[in-house]
Amino acid sequence: MPNRLAHETSPYLLQHADNPVDWWPWSAEAFEEARERGVPVLLSVGYSSCHWCHVLAHESFEDEVTAAYMNEHFVNVKVDREERPDVDAVYMEAVQAATGQGGWPMSVFMTPEGEPFYFGTYFPPKPRHGMPSFRQVLEGVQSAWANRRDEVAEVAEKITRDLAARELDHGTGGLPGEEELAQALLGITREYDPASGWLGSGDTKFPPSMVIEFLLRHHTRTGSEAALEMAEGMCEAMARSSLYDQLGGGFHRYVLRPRPQGTLVPHFEKMLYDNALLCRVYAHLWRVTGSELARRVALETADFLVRELRTNEGGYASALDADSDDGTGRHVEGAFYVWTPGRLAEVLGERDGEAAARHFGVTADGTFEEGLSVLQLPLKGGELDETLSGRLLAARELRPRPGRDDKLVAAWNGLAIAALAEVGALFDRPDLVERATEAADVLVRVHMDGHARLARTSKDGQVGVNAGVLEDYADVAEGFLALAGVTGEGVWLEFAGFLLDIVLDQFVGEGGVLYDTAHDAERLIRRPQDPTDNATPSGWTAAASALLSYAAHTGSSAHREAAEGALGVVRALGPRAPRFIGWGLAAAEAALDGPREVAVVGAPTDPLTGALHRTALLASAPGAVVAVGVPDGEFPLLAGRPLVGGAAAAYVCRRFTCEAPVTTPDSLAEALS
């Protein structure tokens, strides 16, 4: 019989609806049940495209004997970390503080009051590699609960007290200046390997999209060649490696260099947020350098988003799984993406198959597992005939596809809207701008209520029950602001303003600090608050960026002051940990540059208006905002900006103080250089 999760909308929770485990969703009722029964709560957190989450489920949660033990001795609560990032953040902080590491699946044992006392991530079905089995963990926790309850309560109380007492260095020195940004650049330089193009010394490589955005902005503001060289090196390394899907476009989650040192192997899940961020970064690299590689990757990634993640409603699904059927009934990681020389020859013939194998680094021994290879571009120079790549892609489309998590996450759709709008504008792809507009419409219609409060998720047009967190408000505002600049439709600036007003009202605390949850959100054992970037911009730095852009559009001192207050944390953390606050550093670059405000006035049908607008969008001035329309039109930046001699003109301003208007694209490009 299906358990309680059968009534949920999360694809991850629904994957567990037929488990013999009597799962509860996160709810007050679950903790009340634990109090009434006098048993601890087992919290299990994961997400639908998580490979090891699936492994734990198959090994333990689908096992009748293990499930019966869990049901007898625990109240078992299953959480989708993508639906409840606040729950995940609070308990992941406890796991990392106690064990020095974290990850998913996350297993947390806690009292009926929500106080954690034992933690872990994946546990195998039998002891191995020094790890206890999952059953041993369950029995050990149950024994401690039954026989040493006072000790358990003491440990839980201490952990909760320690978490509550943790102090965050918010930074009180105001905006970071030249010295802090130079120190951040030096810190990145120390961690960058120019030979490989990768950042960091570890074997696991995640895409550093937010750091690259900082490097590009720093280069355009200061002329630093070192910053540009690192941005170009990282982008080329990613695009040529197996991190990038060489046939279908889009990026996998991360790559790992196995030991002994060998070819980089991807973790094959594809996330909306990675691809939205990287799509935008490659477009910005092209804008600075004109790189054909950057242009190709930006467009291919945008096309991947639309082709494979766009839902029937017009929004963008969260992820594609890493695993799929390998054609024999086995569910295997990477099965959809791997090749052998023989498979290439089957599709292309012997001669073209050999050419494709050389081009993509496919070997007889394989670069992955079991003689299989992941496509990459190990050799520079020499292009493969596009028709051959097209035939390989068509053949791959016949394979069993990875599963897709169809829920829409507001924040990640905001990032996708920004990427699609800008890529569509920069590369003259109005279809991509239209796709961005459709996704924005979905967020307004489905996710936003009459008070402009956001829901975190939806699925199949049905809004979820979980409230939006800071990153949702900030990233959706970011997307709306980008869409406003591209389309010239002031309604998107207005919607961004609604969301950012709620940020000021509900997420800003004493002294200007930001929290990840609203003042009126569910109270957990600690109110989550983290300014550091992880796989996505932190809500804190995303809010700083959006507030800064909105202030540039409107002249609002309240939004500017909030942005500058939020960026104080970048002054504190940027020189020490630049890899983990790249979005904040990028926002700081925009603040130091102004950011520039560009008002293009003219008739919509006038070719000069279009040429000036495109020139403004092509400018790489850090965080520049663009408004286009008739004089005194929909945008505040257009107020009091007349035509010049009856013709279209552009005004370049900082803090609403403008230089003399210009009337040619060349003169506008010069003013923005």
Side-chain angles (χ1 to χ4, degrees), residues 62-394:
E62 295 173 7
D63 179 71
E64 296 281 354
V65 175
T66 302
Y69 191 89
M70 292 171 65
N71 295 338
E72 180 180 357
H73 297 290
F74 303 92
V75 168
N76 305 289
V77 176
K78 177 62 74 173
V79 165
D80 181 342
R81 66 174 290 259
E82 296 172 351
E83 280 198 334
R84 290 300 302 263
D86 52 338
V87 172
D88 176 64
V90 165
Y91 290 102
M92 183 60 75
E93 186 177 11
V95 172
Q96 291 173 329
T99 68
Q101 59 186 12
W104 300 275
M106 176 170 66
S107 304
V108 180
F109 296 88
M110 61 181 75
T111 70
E113 284 66 48
E115 298 177 330
F117 60 86
Y118 189 77
F119 322 89
T121 51
Y122 165 77
F123 293 107
K126 296 180 179 179
R128 64 171 181 252
H129 306 308
M131 286 192 296
S133 71
F134 187 59
R135 181 60 182 268
Q136 285 175 324
V137 170
L138 294 173
E139 291 174 349
V141 170
Q142 193 280 326
S143 175
W145 182 263
N147 302 313
R148 303 193 306 278
R149 183 79 59 88
D150 290 345
E151 291 179 35
V152 169
E154 186 178 340
V155 168
E157 182 182 354
K158 182 179 186 305
I159 291 171
T160 303
R161 186 173 61 248
D162 289 348
L163 286 175
R166 283 189 160 202
E167 288 295 329
L168 178 67
D169 184 356
H170 302 120
T172 57
L175 278 174
E178 297 289 352
E179 182 180 351
E180 287 83 12
L181 295 177
Q183 288 175 343
L185 179 67
L186 180 60
I188 293 168
T189 304
R190 287 171 176 157
E191 295 196 60
Y192 175 66
D193 177 12
S196 69
W198 292 97
L199 192 63
S201 58
D203 288 333
T204 303
K205 306 293 186 184
F206 289 90
S209 52
M210 292 156 278
V211 168
I212 297 171
E213 183 66 29
F214 159 61
L215 293 172
L216 290 173
R217 291 186 181 191
H218 189 76
H219 163 73
T220 57
R221 189 179 64 81
T222 69
S224 168
E225 288 303 318
L228 181 60
E229 287 173 8
M230 288 190 287
E232 289 182 297
M234 292 179 205
C235 284
E236 179 165 356
M238 290 189 292
R240 300 185 69 84
S241 76
S242 57
L243 182 73
Y244 186 65
D245 180 353
Q246 303 295 340
L247 291 182
F251 290 84
H252 301 294
R253 182 68 195 94
Y254 62 84
V255 285
L256 176 69
R257 191 183 303 279
R259 294 184 181 276
Q261 296 294 311
T263 303
L264 291 169
V265 172
H267 183 51
F268 290 91
E269 65 192 50
K270 284 181 170 182
M271 311 302 296
L272 173 60
Y273 52 74
D274 281 327
N275 285 284
L277 289 165
L278 288 164
C279 182
R280 200 177 184 191
V281 158
Y282 277 88
H284 291 175
L285 176 62
W286 172 84
R287 189 167 62 181
V288 172
T289 67
S291 161
E292 179 56 34
L293 175 68
R295 178 185 182 278
R296 175 175 65 81
V297 171
L299 284 168
E300 288 177 353
T301 303
D303 287 335
F304 156 75
L305 289 172
V306 173
R307 184 181 68 249
E308 298 195 35
L309 293 183
R310 186 170 179 266
T311 66
N312 292 334
E313 298 75 42
Y316 290 85
S318 297
L320 296 180
D321 283 358
D323 303 3
S324 59
D325 192 317
D326 68 352
T328 68
R330 292 191 311 157
H331 214 59
V332 178
E333 185 176 15
F336 186 70
Y337 301 100
V338 293
W339 295 83
T340 64
R343 289 184 187 178
L344 294 175
E346 287 175 14
V347 176
L348 303 177
E350 288 295 333
R351 189 177 72 175
D352 287 340
E354 289 177 3
R358 287 193 300 272
H359 183 75
F360 290 123
V362 177
T363 66
D365 293 334
T367 59
F368 178 46
E369 297 172 349
E370 301 179 1
L372 301 166
S373 292
V374 188
L375 304 189
Q376 54 189 315
L377 296 177
L379 304 175
K380 294 188 179 182
E383 294 298 320
L384 189 70
D385 188 328
E386 286 187 11
T387 61
L388 300 185
S389 295
R391 287 163 62 189
L392 290 175
L393 179 61

Side-chain angles (χ1 to χ4, degrees), residues 4-66:
R4 293 174 184 82
L5 301 185
H7 305 294
E8 298 296 308
T9 58
S10 159
Y12 175 65
L13 298 187
L14 290 171
Q15 288 171 356
H16 294 80
D18 292 320
N19 290 169
V21 177
D22 185 20
W23 290 114
W24 291 70
W26 180 273
S27 61
E29 292 78 9
F31 288 91
E32 182 59 34
E33 173 76 5
R35 278 189 285 271
E36 289 183 2
R37 288 176 51 194
V39 297
V41 172
L42 167 54
L43 171 66
S44 177
V45 182
Y47 56 103
S48 71
S49 56
C50 165
H51 172 72
W52 287 103
C53 298
H54 296 318
V55 172
L56 179 62
H58 293 321
E59 293 174 342
S60 297
F61 300 153
E62 295 173 7
D63 179 71
E64 296 281 354
V65 175
T66 302

